[in-house]
Amino acid sequence: GGRDYAPVPGGPGGDCDVVNKGHGGPSNDCEGCLNIVRGQPILASMLVFVPIGIAAHVTEMAPPLVFGFNFLAIIPLAWLIGKSTEDVAASLGQTLGGLLNATFGNIVEMLLCIAGIRNNEVVVVQCTLLGSILSNLLLVLGTAFLVGGYFYPTQKYSQEGAATQCSLLAMTVFAVGLPTLYANILDQEEERENMVEISRWSSVFLLFTYISYLYFQLGTHRALFEGDDADDEEEEGPDLSPGTAAIVLAIATVVTSFSTDFLLHAIKGTVSSWDVSQEFIGIILLPIIGNAAEHYTAITVAARDKMDLSLGVAAGSSCQMGLLVTPFTVIVGWVYGIEMTLNFHSFQLAVLLLAVFLTTNILSNGESNWLEGLMLLVTYLIVSLIYFFEGSGDDASLATLA
């Protein structure tokens, strides 16, 4: 099991003598792999769930077991993808590296959404998209502010960078909100077809906005997002050479795509046997697996008083979910001929609107403290409670229109 999977980063034999040219990095890839495993022993040991998860699906175990094992398998895979992306990005220079990080930063959510569309679980996909935005804004940012506030009374970050991200989040609410309201007000069959067209073309424009935002962030206005603490600390060198890191990235991405597929396949059985709603799984549980490594990063850098970096991870991921992954998913639905639209349920739209409103208020002054973190966390807890106590019957769902 785990012993076969832990050395995967080394890639096929013969890679161990590749000398890493990064600054301060290990002398070869074998040593780099050891560094990675030593750095995160818990995540590395969780790789044992990858073969277990695959075996659970192949031997057709009970759906909750297949769901549980693959859930635990994707967490370390997401971490491996993140680590290898960073190591590849380190050799590409700032702009290309930033671009690669931005693209692969949400690859797990993208794979979850593709798997969901292929299994025709549109409700779960929409909930995962919404849940990722909520967990980044409320849970990750809240924990980062709370942990950072424990070590420092107040922490400062770039107000302009935060303002840009808040504006993009407001645009996300607008892009999701209008189609949702439109569909709810004009609840007719022919309008439903128009709704699908509107969603698809809106998604193309949202993707264009995301590309423009990347150009803004990595090109014309880079200084806004770096803050004062960008030059304080020299980054440690990458652990793997670019070639090996690229192989790890490819292998981890392919394995993750299988694990997400098995996970989504088991959702229906899991919902009925656990008696929880699809929304609870989509909004609360699934975002944890894609964001676990990001959560960890945001919190540890906040504890070191690097708030711009922490905010970039948390609020930046939310912007990516809204402007990249959501439209990407609608377009994937277009390719598969499945009606994935921007028509989220009106209750979910209200949750998103209020979360963005609260976050924008908190981020407006360029400073954070532990109380602000607590407010965000309590808000997330309340949202979780609502979805946890929601029934699992078809008529009880907060995702289907009355």
Side-chain angles (χ1 to χ4, degrees), residues 176-197:
V176 169
L178 283 185
T180 302
L181 294 172
Y182 175 84
N184 286 3
I185 292 167
L186 300 167
D187 194 13
Q188 300 153 0
E189 200 48 50
E190 60 268 23
E191 292 302 336
R192 168 127 191 90
E193 285 169 24
N194 295 346
M195 180 65 258
V196 179
E197 285 297 306

Side-chain angles (χ1 to χ4, degrees), residues 157-167 213 216 224-225 308 311 315:
Y157 48 84
S158 158
Q159 209 170 335
E160 295 91 342
T164 306
Q165 286 168 334
C166 289
S167 307
Y213 162 58
F216 180 84
L224 286 189
F225 297 89
D308 279 295
L311 201 64

